[in-house]
Amino acid sequence: ALVAPGILDARLCLAHWAQTPGVIPRPLRAAMGDRLYGCDDCLDACPPGGRLLAGAQHRRGRVDLVEVLSWSDRTLLSEFGHFYLPRRQPRYLRRNALVALGNSGGSEAVALAAGYLGHPDPLLRSHAAWALGRLGGARAVGALRHRAGSETDPGVREELEWAQEAITGGRGPAPAGADAKP
């Protein structure tokens, strides 16, 4: 989002998208990296921001994405309720965690992301499909194809197609045992 010295393009701000209801635009998801909530790069680049970060009570840390994606709504709000959550809905933290999982998970994350393909919330199904497209492998392709047969939401169907194409490159099924990232 920092497009030039002192110039921020808010349309590219990861903190903005992590806090905004709805779908995170596909071109920005990879830039989210393993972040669950924003990035603070603007504070790092800003001299006054650097002083604020230096005096912060809490240090930046990591969370276990598998754990976060398995928590109940109540636990998510208890742990992360101090963040701004649109409409106080934990679904947005789950959406962000699925994006982070797609960016940082390995083959062990495929089963977790695939489980979200059956979630009642189309927002989570679509981001799970994207995560599987990033994680890759035959198991991911199988899960995506299985869901494609019953998916009715047009946005999720588009993500399912994108994810399959991302893994196979349009060549049909991924080879057996090809569970590593492409």
Side-chain angles (χ1 to χ4, degrees):
L2 297 171
V3 295
I7 310 257
L8 177 91
D9 183 345
R11 297 169 299 174
L12 301 175
C13 175
L14 299 180
H16 164 76
W17 286 107
Q19 298 171 35
T20 298
V23 173
I24 296 172
R26 197 179 300 142
L28 298 178
R29 294 177 196 167
M32 296 274 304
D34 64 353
R35 297 173 182 101
L36 187 59
Y37 195 83
C39 75
D40 294 336
D41 285 350
C42 54
L43 288 178
D44 289 337
C46 171
R51 289 192 298 277
L52 289 171
L53 285 175
Q57 295 282 356
H58 299 284
R59 295 287 168 218
R60 297 176 189 175
R62 301 219 175 263
V63 296
D64 181 337
L65 295 171
V66 172
E67 189 173 76
V68 166
L69 286 166
S70 69
W71 283 345
S72 68
D73 286 356
R74 184 177 184 170
T75 303
L76 279 171
L77 288 173
S78 170
E79 292 294 319
F80 299 110
H82 59 284
F83 290 139
Y84 170 75
L85 297 174
R87 299 179 194 99
R88 298 281 304 150
Q89 294 180 4
R91 69 192 289 236
Y92 298 110
L93 283 171
R94 286 190 182 93
R95 173 202 62 188
N96 298 350
L98 286 164
V99 170
L101 189 71
N103 285 325
S104 63
S107 61
E108 71 285 351
V110 168
L112 178 61
Y116 269 87
L117 289 178
H119 197 279
D121 187 340
L123 177 74
L124 299 181
R125 291 195 312 271
S126 67
H127 285 79
W130 180 85
L132 286 167
R134 297 277 293 184
L135 295 168
R139 292 183 309 181
V141 170
L144 291 163
R145 287 195 173 140
H146 178 74
R147 182 63 200 185
S150 61
E151 183 57 58
T152 59
D153 183 274
V156 177
R157 289 189 65 80
E158 182 181 323
E159 289 291 346
L160 290 165
E161 291 169 15
W162 176 89
Q164 289 180 66
E165 177 72 24
I167 297 170
T168 66
R171 297 181 310 270
D179 290 326
K181 285 188 176 184

